[in-house]
Amino acid sequence: MDTTSLIEWKYVVASLLYSGIGVVVFVIAFALLDLLTPKVQVWSELVEKQNVAMGIFLGAVALGIAVIIASAIHG
C-alpha cells in the first residue's frame, strides 16, 4: 500500500498553517482582553488570589474565541 496516495500533503500543510494562524489569533485575543481590563490583574487574580470566578470567566472567553476562530477558518 502506497502511503502517498493516502495522504494529500497540501491538506496537511494547510491544516498546520491554519492551526498556527488560529493559535496566533487566540494569543492576540487574550492579550487584547488583558489590555482592555486594566483594573483587573488577570495573572494575579488567577495565581495569587486563586479566583475561581475569574478562571471560569477566562475559560468561557477561551472557548468563545476558539469557536469564533474555528468557524472563521472552516468557512
Side-chain angles (χ1 to χ4, degrees), residues 41-70:
Q41 299 297 324
V42 175
W43 185 254
S44 171
E45 288 288 329
L46 284 176
V47 176
E48 295 170 6
K49 297 180 184 176
Q50 296 184 352
N51 188 343
V52 176
M54 178 63 78
I56 292 171
F57 170 73
L58 289 177
V61 168
L63 286 173
I65 293 170
V67 167
I68 291 169
I69 292 170

Side-chain angles (χ1 to χ4, degrees), residues 3-73:
T3 59
T4 57
S5 65
L6 294 176
I7 299 174
E8 292 195 35
W9 290 104
K10 65 179 179 180
Y11 296 126
V12 173
V13 172
S15 176
L16 292 174
L17 179 68
Y18 285 132
S19 297
I21 291 170
V23 168
V24 169
V25 170
F26 188 79
V27 169
I28 290 170
F30 255 94
L32 186 62
L33 175 72
D34 195 28
L35 287 174
L36 290 175
T37 55
K39 293 183 180 180
V40 178
Q41 299 297 324
V42 175
W43 185 254
S44 171
E45 288 288 329
L46 284 176
V47 176
E48 295 170 6
K49 297 180 184 176
Q50 296 184 352
N51 188 343
V52 176
M54 178 63 78
I56 292 171
F57 170 73
L58 289 177
V61 168
L63 286 173
I65 293 170
V67 167
I68 291 169
I69 292 170
S71 64
I73 289 174

